[in-house]
Amino acid sequence: LQHRQHRRDEVGRRRRRAAQPERDRAQLGAARTWIAMGVDPKVFFANERTYLHWLNVSVTIGSIGSALLGLSGIATSQSAGEGGFDALRTIGLLMLAIAILFCGHAMYQYRRRGKLLRQHSGTGYDDSNAPAILSFVLIVAMGAIYSSYLLRTTDAVDASSP
């Protein structure tokens, strides 16, 4: 008899433990409706880090554009008026313009996400278009630099052949 009573108590204890998570989840859900949660400060720092990464990319693109502009000036002074190096100047100016646009876009996204964080919004933080646009623009710019180099070398080979 004592063994049966002990077994019933053990089964009842197991049932109560199995039902406890449901009860805790229900109480936690009710508590969530009443507790005003703040935004973790780490989220603001993550927003700032993302902004700084975008600025880093913009500065890199701007540096490449400036280097191309510098090289185009050296190349045109060495070629004494040949128009073959105008492509470098055009590509350099385009890359500088792209860098300026992405600096502006980074500032816009930083401010927009900061506003969403202060408003405790749960959506609208993602920006899936900008990385794709940046990748496309960089592929086009690098392809233009490569094709400019190929055209310049083939023109030099054609000019040197008799």
Side-chain angles (χ1 to χ4, degrees), residues 48-66:
E48 187 175 341
R49 278 193 309 273
T50 304
Y51 170 63
L52 292 174
H53 283 295
W54 276 105
L55 284 183
N56 188 14
V57 169
S58 298
V59 167
T60 302
I61 293 171
S63 299
I64 293 169
S66 298

Side-chain angles (χ1 to χ4, degrees), residues 2-14:
Q2 202 174 30
H3 178 65
R4 288 184 191 164
Q5 182 66 31
H6 176 69
R7 185 150 170 78
R8 272 189 256 153
D9 289 344
E10 185 65 32
V11 170
R13 214 176 291 136
R14 285 184 195 156

Side-chain angles (χ1 to χ4, degrees), residues 67-85:
L68 287 174
L69 282 175
L71 288 175
S72 70
I74 292 170
T76 40
S77 66
Q78 288 177 353
S79 64
E82 293 179 17
F85 293 97

Side-chain angles (χ1 to χ4, degrees), residues 113-125:
R113 287 178 182 146
K115 182 179 175 184
L116 288 172
L117 286 171
R118 285 188 297 279
Q119 293 174 349
H120 301 288
S121 176
T123 60
Y125 296 108

Side-chain angles (χ1 to χ4, degrees), residues 99-112:
I100 291 168
L101 287 174
F102 270 95
C103 279
H105 178 74
M107 176 59 87
Y108 168 74
Q109 287 294 337
Y110 172 71
R111 299 207 34 146
R112 184 182 69 85

